[in-house]
Each structure stands twice: as structure tokens, then as C-alpha cells.
Amino acid sequence: MFLALQPQAWAHALLYYSIPKAGSGLTNAPTEIKICFTEPLQPDGSTIQVRNTKHKQVDKKDSHRDAEDKSLLFVSLPKLPPGVYQ
């Protein structure tokens, strides 16, 4: 599995880190994606989407900010087959 993160045009928040790391090659699919930004995100419009090579959204569509750290976003993943995901 290969994961590529493509940052969107957020107002001022920049990507700080992600788990799994952007551009990483993985032997096992993660159960969630965690992305941390340099500052708190607005609740509206702050989402993560994971897509396959056909641009189909494959995450569980439950993207959300962390309850305490508003700079963290999460999305859950189903069991994914080997492949490339963005």
C-alpha cells in the first residue's frame, strides 16, 4: 500500500505531520489516517478523504477533528486491498 497526501488550500494551517507518513509505502493497511496541522482547523470544511487510483473515495466518511486538539484530523479506513491511495 502506498499513501500520498495532497494538501489542499487551507487558510493558514499547514501540514505538520501525518500518520502514516505522507508518501510512505506500507506493508499493512492502516485502520485510520491522522493528520496534524500547524494550527487549529475550522470545523466546517476540515475533512480528510482517501481515494483509490480511480478517484473513488474509499474511507469510512467519518472524518473529524480531535475533541481536544483542534489541529488534528482523523478518518477511519475499512480493510483496503494493496494499492495506491491518496
Side-chain angles (χ1 to χ4, degrees), residues 13-81:
L14 301 173
L15 177 65
Y16 183 55
Y17 69 86
S18 65
I19 300 173
K21 185 178 177 183
S24 60
L26 307 172
T27 54
N28 296 312
T31 57
E32 78 175 359
I33 302 293
K34 174 181 175 180
I35 300 177
C36 182
F37 293 88
T38 56
E39 62 185 68
L41 301 168
Q42 297 298 318
D44 296 334
S46 297
T47 62
I48 301 172
Q49 293 182 349
V50 178
R51 297 183 179 271
N52 63 18
T53 55
K54 295 180 181 178
H55 305 287
K56 179 182 177 199
Q57 188 173 353
V58 296
D59 59 72
K60 291 186 176 181
K61 299 180 182 177
D62 63 350
S63 181
H64 61 279
R65 290 186 313 162
D66 185 76
E68 295 185 21
D69 184 347
K70 303 302 182 193
S71 67
L72 291 175
L73 278 177
F74 297 89
V75 70
S76 301
L77 297 174
K79 184 173 178 151
L80 295 173

